[in-house]
Amino acid sequence: KIKDYRSKSISEVSSDLTNDKLKMIDFRTRIVIIEDNEAVKEGYALILNSHQDYHVVNTYTTAEEAIKNLRRDYPDIIFTDLDLPGMNGIQGIAKIRKLDPKVQIIVITVYEDSNMVFDALCAGATGYITKSSNHIEVLEAVEQIINKGAPMSPKIAKLVVSSFQRSPNSPLSNRETEILSLLATGKTYKITADELHIGMETVKSHVKNIYSKLHATSKS
């Protein structure tokens, strides 16, 4: 942390310390919403703020606005539409992922099971929900993300896995491919371990190998 601060101005350091301090005090999951439809944006904010463990710190109508305030908002999770004015959602996801690899991104879309959703996942989104999702489904999506899952339909999950499996030179073992396939459907490490009848530490060990072989630095 000290090394990071050496290259920053006094105001930047103060801002970072303030954000860190706030996050230590407030243990709620910090959420940002990017959506140009006011009714949808306000509806999602109302639903998410209704949960005592979630806090919508800001809402935006463009990806550019959200990116500009990313360090100030310090979000754990971002909900974003794909059809946005200016920078589209897929471009926004890629940009946000570069700036903050740890933030989890949930796509809000009307394009269920489409190539746009698949492209958003390839850009770095963790999962997606449709705009027709009800109150419970929205909250469940956040819960899945917090528990290391990935909210998405089985059809999209299969697209993700099949796109990887098309490679004739897969560096993964059969067991690693099995684990990747289960994780891609949103299964947690524990559920994956149970379904494959292996220990959770074994799953974690295989995941480390998967990261290394695929030169990946995050689950998304």
Side-chain angles (χ1 to χ4, degrees), residues 116-133:
M116 282 191 73
V117 173
F118 179 69
D119 290 342
L121 294 170
C122 291
T126 314
Y128 79 94
I129 57 175
T130 63
K131 290 191 178 182
S132 61
S133 298

Side-chain angles (χ1 to χ4, degrees), residues 59-70:
T59 64
Y60 300 99
T61 56
T62 68
E64 288 91 338
E65 289 177 292
I67 290 167
K68 181 181 176 182
N69 294 298
L70 192 61

Side-chain angles (χ1 to χ4, degrees), residues 13-75:
V13 171
S14 297
S15 175
D16 282 358
L17 289 173
T18 301
N19 283 337
D20 286 346
K21 193 173 180 181
L22 282 171
K23 198 158 187 180
M24 286 174 68
I25 295 169
D26 189 347
F27 294 101
R28 291 177 296 175
T29 298
R30 297 172 65 83
I31 300 172
V32 161
I33 300 170
I34 311 171
E35 168 62 67
D36 62 328
N37 183 309
E38 288 297 324
V40 173
K41 183 167 63 178
E42 289 175 11
Y44 271 77
L46 189 65
I47 290 170
L48 293 164
N49 278 328
S50 72
H51 194 292
Q52 63 180 4
D53 294 331
Y54 306 152
H55 173 44
V56 177
V57 293
N58 240 322
T59 64
Y60 300 99
T61 56
T62 68
E64 288 91 338
E65 289 177 292
I67 290 167
K68 181 181 176 182
N69 294 298
L70 192 61
R71 287 181 62 192
R72 186 191 70 183
D73 293 335
Y74 214 44

Side-chain angles (χ1 to χ4, degrees), residues 1-9 13 16-17 20:
K1 199 76 173 179
I2 291 171
K3 287 180 182 178
D4 291 341
Y5 288 149
R6 284 177 184 164
S7 61
K8 296 181 180 179
S9 67
V13 171
D16 282 358
L17 289 173
D20 286 346

